[in-house]
Amino acid sequence: MADATMSHAIVIPPLAVAGTDLVVEHAATSRNGATLTLEPAASRWSLRGRSAEALSAVIGRPVPSRIGESVDGIACLGPDEWLADLPAGTALPDGAGQAVSVVDISARGVVIRIEGPATLTTLASGCPLDLDGMAIGQVKRTVFETVEVILWRERTDMIRVFVWRSFAPWLWNALKSAELA
């Protein structure tokens, strides 16, 4: 439960089951030019398959074939792994009987959007990646300090950070502390 002294905390109700149950009391805007925003719930899918072509045929959408690339809300995370980040309510075929795995993970994690001129500085405070070399549209799995995250670069000054719900309050506060330093 929220403590009255924690005016900028993320609150997760004890029986929360979806990203929409998270509450951010305030969007944190820094003196240094980075804004943190908790994104609204979306339809997110963990996708596995032997090839991008096979997976694409099952789900009826284009699937990138190179690790780190994204196409129309689907990112390639590994040789046989993709993440779909689609508008809330979007359903995908389950691939029953096919050599693919299509699993709804919408409630598993949340996305914190960092935008502004200090986006890279804020993330670099705890992330080992060369963020300057990350192209727009590129997606990378990495860590922020010790927490696994997925970074999706949307613009030069905006990166979306995917994190499991259980780590979201810690990550929110760590990013907020980094941007205020």
Side-chain angles (χ1 to χ4, degrees):
M1 289 294 153
D3 181 329
T5 62
M6 298 186 332
S7 63
H8 299 291
I10 291 178
V11 178
I12 300 178
L15 299 175
V17 294
T20 56
D21 295 333
L22 289 175
V23 175
V24 177
E25 293 179 11
H26 300 283
T29 304
S30 80
R31 317 179 278 262
N32 297 330
T35 301
L36 305 179
T37 306
L38 183 66
E39 290 192 354
S43 183
R44 297 193 177 98
W45 299 82
S46 175
L47 309 171
R48 295 285 186 137
R50 292 184 178 149
S51 70
E53 296 78 17
L55 184 59
S56 180
V58 171
I59 66 171
R61 294 174 173 266
V63 175
S65 57
R66 291 179 43 136
I67 296 170
E69 287 185 342
S70 64
V71 174
D72 295 331
I74 299 179
C76 183
L77 300 178
D80 66 347
E81 181 182 10
W82 293 264
L83 169 67
D85 181 45
L86 305 169
T90 302
L92 294 178
D94 66 9
Q98 305 289 325
V100 299
S101 173
V102 180
V103 178
D104 183 345
I105 59 167
S106 301
R108 180 180 80 180
V110 299
V111 176
I112 298 171
R113 184 174 59 240
I114 306 172
E115 56 190 324
T119 294
L120 299 185
T121 305
T122 300
L123 275 170
S125 70
C127 179
L129 279 182
D130 172 12
L131 299 167
D132 289 321
M134 193 173 172
I136 294 171
Q138 194 169 26
V139 181
K140 294 194 177 219
R141 187 186 325 236
T142 187
V143 294
F144 185 89
E145 293 186 14
T146 60
V147 174
E148 182 180 320
V149 295
I150 295 172
L151 305 180
W152 196 316
R153 190 163 196 180
E154 295 285 342
R155 300 187 317 244
T156 302
D157 65 346
M158 182 175 76
I159 294 179
R160 300 170 66 227
V161 183
F162 292 69
V163 63
W164 286 27
R165 291 175 46 76
S166 57
F167 291 111
W170 177 89
L171 182 62
W172 177 269
N173 288 314
L175 289 168
K176 185 176 167 189
S177 294
E179 71 170 356
L180 295 174

